Amino acid sequence: MQRIGKSQLSIMIIVFLIGSTPLFELGLKARQDAWIAMAMAAVVGLLLTVIYVKLQKRAPEAGLAELCRMHFGKWLGGTVALVYTVWFSYESMRNVRDVGELTRMALLTVTPKWIIMLLILFVAAYTVSKGLEVFARIVQLLFPIVLISYLFIILLLFIAKLPEIDRLLPIMENGMGPITKAAFPDLVSFPFGQTVVFLVYWKHLKEKRELGKTTFKSQAGVSAFLIFMNMLVMSVLGPALSEVTSLPLLQAVQLIRLANFLERLDVIVTLLLFIGLYVKMTALYLAAVLTLKEVTGAAYRHFVWPVGLVVYAASFLEPNNTYHLWLGLDVTLKIVPLFQIVFPLLMLVAGVRKRYKRAASP
């Protein structure tokens, strides 16, 4: 079995949850209070992670499929694991489509989408074919680039004096209603609830005792960062402009003008876009392959390219970007709590019932 260290796990959680999230201004239903909605969702996300870690600690060497069978039985558990495989593949497909749409929108305006998506998926498939250890090392190599790029952007925004705190006021102008609607279930589902994918990876951690501590620290840190980035972009653009901009962070960076020579920093945002989407799509793709392997018992290599082919083909099912965004934001985010909340809670309850039954048996 391939193994990863706690530092690799920590970096994987950070880069996965960041993904492309800061590029968008999430929670805009709450307007200037979007950061409060993000904070509320982050707290709920940490509570969900408590459930996930509790499940993993019941069987530290079990993956997601094994946990499903352990709690739901062989046949029902196997079916639930297969449903998770479909969901992981679907989420990976959405990231492939995001790469195609956003790259054409922001960078390669005349390049066919199918070429862009084929190239990024080929890179992801090659990574998946090499296994978890190689993927973890790649994320380690990409992490300093992500960290330095975001720090550079933040620094330049403040040097250019673009953030204005007044754009975050008044706080809770319309009460808690819009904030709550923005946070639940949308912001909980994306990005914080996606931590459930690590039920596939935690069994590969070398230092099992550090699982909970490493996960909670990493998720808390990245949650604080995402809240800060939400506030920063809102303080630069304001709620009105943020609502009509496809990539608010890109729009904010395009406003930077320093000494009449430092401008047009779109390349940095584009780099972050590619890294974030690549890591997220590959992590979900790899999770689908590993879960399918556990369910069927077949060799890992048999699923890498077939799953990739399905993901690539499915990325063309959505006719246009408007439909793609509608399906993702208005439909998908209402369904994914089934995987992030319902199934884990059922497993948690089923495990308690089984333990009590064992205790009561003679």
Side-chain angles (χ1 to χ4, degrees):
M1 181 190 295
Q2 294 193 336
R3 296 290 186 180
I4 58 174
K6 63 179 182 180
S7 62
Q8 290 178 311
L9 174 64
S10 177
I11 290 172
M12 281 180 62
I13 292 172
I14 292 170
V15 180
F16 176 82
L17 286 180
I18 289 177
S20 58
T21 306
L23 302 178
F24 306 96
E25 189 69 357
L26 302 177
L28 283 174
K29 293 177 184 177
R31 294 182 62 78
Q32 69 270 18
D33 293 324
W35 66 274
I36 302 177
M38 182 77 80
M40 292 174 62
V43 172
V44 175
L46 284 170
L47 294 177
L48 288 176
T49 301
V50 172
I51 295 174
Y52 306 152
V53 170
K54 178 75 172 176
L55 291 174
Q56 187 64 52
K57 286 186 175 181
R58 286 177 176 172
E61 295 296 331
L64 176 60
E66 296 168 276
L67 287 170
C68 289
R69 284 196 293 255
M70 185 177 77
H71 290 91
F72 296 139
K74 180 179 179 181
W75 297 108
L76 180 58
T79 302
V80 171
L82 284 175
V83 174
Y84 266 106
T85 299
V86 173
W87 177 54
F88 291 149
S89 301
Y90 169 75
E91 291 291 347
S92 182
M93 177 277 290
R94 291 199 59 79
N95 285 276
V96 173
R97 184 61 182 257
D98 282 338
V99 170
E101 295 290 353
L102 297 175
T103 303
R104 284 202 67 191
M105 184 189 308
L107 188 64
L108 306 175
T109 56
V110 296
T111 304
K113 278 187 298 187
W114 69 268
I115 293 179
I116 298 169
M117 293 190 294
L118 180 63
L119 289 174
I120 193 68
L121 186 62
F122 181 81
V123 174
Y126 183 74
T127 305
V128 170
S129 70
K130 297 302 179 182
L132 176 59
E133 290 182 0
V134 171
F135 176 56
R137 293 191 195 106
I138 291 174
V139 178
Q140 274 186 301
L141 291 173
L142 294 175
F143 178 66
I145 300 174
V146 174
L147 180 63
I148 293 171
S149 297
Y150 275 116
L151 288 176
F152 186 59
I153 287 173
I154 293 168
L155 180 63
L156 290 181
L157 286 173
F158 278 104
I159 290 176
K161 299 179 180 179
L162 291 174
E164 294 184 15
I165 195 68
D166 290 346
R167 294 193 175 105
L168 298 176
L169 301 175
I171 295 176
M172 291 192 284
E173 179 182 17
N174 299 308
M176 286 297 296
I179 298 173
T180 304
K181 289 179 180 178
F184 309 108
D186 294 4
L187 288 179
V188 174
S189 299
F190 176 79
F192 303 107
Q194 291 185 323
T195 312
V196 71
V197 75
F198 286 92
L199 283 170
V200 177
Y201 298 122
W202 280 330
K203 75 177 230 179
H204 298 277
L205 181 64
K206 296 175 187 176
E207 305 94 336
K208 291 291 193 297
R209 292 184 178 179
E210 299 294 323
L211 188 152
K213 183 178 179 182
T214 300
T215 301
F216 294 135
K217 280 187 174 181
S218 303
Q219 188 171 347
V222 77
S223 297
F225 171 75
L226 292 176
I227 295 166
F228 170 76
M229 288 301 297
N230 189 289
M231 295 177 68
L232 180 62
V233 173
M234 183 65 72
S235 68
V236 172
L237 300 180
L241 185 55
S242 295
E243 285 179 344
V244 298
T245 303
S246 300
L247 292 172
L249 181 60
L250 177 61
Q251 181 68 36
V253 168
Q254 288 175 340
L255 296 175
I256 296 174
R257 301 285 188 277
L258 294 175
N260 294 321
F261 80 93
L262 188 57
E263 57 184 49
R264 300 300 299 173
L265 301 173
D266 307 26
V267 63
I268 299 178
V269 178
T270 304
L271 177 66
L272 291 170
L273 168 70
F274 274 108
I275 291 176
L277 290 175
Y278 161 74
V279 169
K280 183 155 280 191
M281 92 168 64
T282 306
L284 291 162
Y285 180 178
L286 180 58
V289 173
L290 289 172
T291 305
L292 200 55
K293 169 186 172 292
E294 288 183 4
V295 172
T296 62
Y300 173 86
R301 66 179 182 277
H302 293 159
F303 300 111
V304 175
W305 295 102
V307 171
L309 183 61
V310 170
V311 169
Y312 182 68
S315 65
F316 292 97
L317 295 178
E318 299 165 338
N320 51 57
N321 192 42
T322 301
Y323 185 87
H324 172 71
L325 294 174
W326 169 80
L327 188 64
L329 299 177
D330 292 345
V331 179
T332 302
L333 291 183
K334 307 301 186 292
I335 298 173
V336 294
L338 178 69
F339 303 98
Q340 299 170 347
I341 301 174
V342 177
F343 285 149
L345 280 176
L346 287 175
M347 282 194 279
L348 189 69
V349 173
V352 171
R353 287 176 58 83
K354 287 184 178 182
R355 185 181 66 185
Y356 288 158
K357 285 181 179 179
R358 286 197 301 267
S361 61

